[in-house]
Amino acid sequence: MSKVKYYYDPDTLSYRKIEAKKSRRYRNISLFILGAFIFGFLGLIFLLNTNLINTPKELSLQREVKNYELQFELLNKKMGQIEQVLANIEERDNNIYRLYFEANPIPEEQRRAGFGGVNRYNALEGFNNSEMIIATSKRLDIIQKQMVIQSKSLDEITKLAGEKEKLLASIPAIQPITNKELTRMASGYGWRSDPFTKARKMHWGMDFTAPKGTPVYASGDGKISRADNNSSGYGKHIRIEHGYGYMSLYGHLSQYNVKPGQKVKRGDLIGFVGSTGRSQAPHLHYEVWKDDQRTNPINFYYGSLTAEEFENMLKLANQENQSLD
Ligand SMILES: [Zn+2]
């Protein structure tokens, strides 16, 4: 029971009871609740704006982003491993395969070149993780390019390997006359005294002493380019073009067994030892040319000699004696 309040009415000069209207009381209560609500709501907005509280959806998105970051990190780790394996393959490619098949190594810059163009990664810009995503994309692009280049290189090597057999048959890799005992080599490649003037002079080939008429053999597959007496000094001589930049020359012959344009196989009888041209005694003067340069023929006998025989021949060839020219 609430306390009854009175007030003095000057008109009637009496005290009258104050009656609080029910509707007013309810209005007061409603106002209070509404105020509380508005106040609470504003407080909530304030808290949300200051990031002190996250909604469940935001929390789950944050977890997702964290998970993506972790996945990117793992991907980068895996890319690191792939890069290592690729680098190893590239090294073998350059230093073994390409070298073996005489192809030029592919320069590092060419293998690792990124992609030009400024717009390539534009779509990835403007996000919180843009830097990480662009770096990863670039890394992946370079790996992809490395793979393409490596794959092309292997294609090239496959092709070269197919030709290698032909190349190996073409290289002038045996001695041009039967020389089992290795007593027939008179003079090697290098500085020797000239048999006519006795002055020291470069001897550009190997001399094999042999009686006139001893068979001379093609040292590799090829085509006879010359068989004539029109080159000063060599007398009757034969030249074989082997392809791949190789040419072999057989000088001071007494007779030919082949004609220009004829194809020959390694070991075919092409002519006979003589002493035509600038020659002191019957012998075969033999030269090997690579890319228009004369080279030491001894470097080409690897196919037909044992290590010991080669050693022995090297000794003989290096003797400082007089060449037969
Ligand atoms: Zn000679």
Side-chain angles (χ1 to χ4, degrees), residues 187-188 203-208 234 252 278 283-287 323-325:
S187 184
H203 185 236
W204 292 107
M206 277 182 123
D207 288 344
F208 296 87
Y234 292 126
H252 314 303
R278 197 172 185 274
H283 78 286
L284 173 71
H285 174 89
Y286 175 65
E287 288 181 10
S323 67
L324 296 169
D325 260 40

Side-chain angles (χ1 to χ4, degrees), residues 171-186 206-209 215-220 248-250 265-268 270 284 286-288 297-306 309-310 312-314 316-317:
I171 290 174
I174 62 163
Q175 296 175 81
I177 62 171
T178 310
N179 192 6
K180 283 263 184 276
E181 296 80 28
L182 293 177
T183 51
R184 279 179 167 162
M185 196 179 47
M206 277 182 123
D207 288 344
F208 296 87
T209 51
V216 174
Y217 304 103
S219 54
S248 58
L249 184 153
Y250 313 76
K265 290 267 172 209
R266 178 179 290 150
D268 282 357
I270 54 170
L284 173 71
Y286 175 65
E287 288 181 10
V288 171
I298 201 163
N299 296 329
F300 290 89
Y301 299 142
Y302 46 75
S304 53
L305 298 175
T306 66
E309 283 171 334
F310 186 78
N312 197 3
M313 182 181 235
L314 210 58
L316 281 168

Side-chain angles (χ1 to χ4, degrees), residues 10-277:
D11 294 335
T12 60
L13 302 175
S14 59
Y15 287 95
R16 294 177 79 99
K17 209 190 270 180
I18 295 172
E19 285 179 64
K21 281 184 181 163
K22 271 191 178 165
S23 60
R24 184 182 285 171
R25 190 183 292 159
Y26 282 130
R27 196 184 63 191
N28 285 344
I29 291 169
S30 308
L31 275 175
F32 173 77
I33 292 172
L34 185 67
F37 263 115
I38 290 173
F39 207 73
F41 186 67
L42 287 175
L44 190 67
I45 288 176
F46 173 77
L47 282 174
L48 285 176
N49 278 342
T50 52
N51 283 334
L52 290 173
I53 284 182
N54 289 309
T55 63
K57 189 168 184 192
E58 276 177 332
L59 283 173
S60 108
L61 281 175
Q62 276 179 2
R63 271 201 302 274
E64 214 171 308
V65 170
K66 274 265 169 295
N67 185 37
Y68 285 143
E69 281 172 3
L70 185 72
Q71 291 304 323
F72 261 85
E73 214 174 285
L74 288 173
L75 277 177
N76 270 287
K77 231 177 228 172
K78 278 185 187 164
M79 278 196 275
Q81 290 166 348
I82 291 171
E83 281 164 352
Q84 268 183 11
V85 173
L86 255 178
N88 185 273
I89 293 173
E90 285 169 348
E91 201 189 303
R92 274 186 288 163
D93 187 43
N94 271 345
N95 298 327
I96 301 174
Y97 310 141
R98 297 188 69 84
L99 197 74
Y100 182 74
F101 292 106
E102 290 170 71
N104 289 329
I106 298 173
E108 187 86 350
E109 319 72 87
Q110 198 181 326
R111 286 186 186 268
R112 303 239 186 309
F115 289 88
V118 273
N119 299 323
R120 193 176 172 84
Y121 305 100
N122 264 7
L124 302 173
E125 261 163 30
F127 300 100
N128 284 340
N129 286 318
S130 282
E131 207 176 306
M132 175 184 77
I133 293 171
I134 289 174
T136 307
S137 300
K138 278 185 182 167
R139 206 169 167 187
L140 200 57
D141 281 346
I142 290 175
I143 288 177
Q144 194 183 11
K145 190 163 186 198
Q146 278 176 270
M147 300 272 266
V148 170
I149 289 179
Q150 184 55 56
S151 165
K152 279 190 182 157
S153 173
L154 288 174
D155 286 347
E156 195 186 340
I157 284 172
T158 308
K159 193 167 158 264
L160 287 171
E163 286 174 13
K164 187 78 177 179
E165 213 174 320
K166 204 173 146 221
L167 169 72
L168 285 175
S170 301
I171 290 174
I174 62 163
Q175 296 175 81
I177 62 171
T178 310
N179 192 6
K180 283 263 184 276
E181 296 80 28
L182 293 177
T183 51
R184 279 179 167 162
M185 196 179 47
S187 184
Y189 178 96
W191 290 92
R192 300 288 182 274
S193 61
D194 185 288
F196 298 99
T197 64
K198 309 293 177 201
R200 269 172 71 77
K201 196 181 113 191
M202 185 63 193
H203 185 236
W204 292 107
M206 277 182 123
D207 288 344
F208 296 87
T209 51
K212 190 180 167 194
T214 302
V216 174
Y217 304 103
S219 54
D221 293 5
K223 194 170 155 187
I224 307 294
S225 60
R226 287 179 68 171
D228 59 63
N229 200 357
N230 301 329
S231 200
S232 78
Y234 292 126
K236 285 186 176 177
H237 78 295
I238 291 172
R239 294 180 195 219
I240 301 177
E241 290 291 344
H242 300 282
Y244 307 99
Y246 292 103
M247 191 268 277
S248 58
L249 184 153
Y250 313 76
H252 314 303
L253 303 173
S254 60
Q255 251 186 292
Y256 308 113
N257 197 42
V258 287
K259 287 191 177 78
Q262 190 178 329
K263 280 190 176 169
V264 291
K265 290 267 172 209
R266 178 179 290 150
D268 282 357
L269 175 63
I270 54 170
F272 301 92
V273 171
S275 193
T276 55

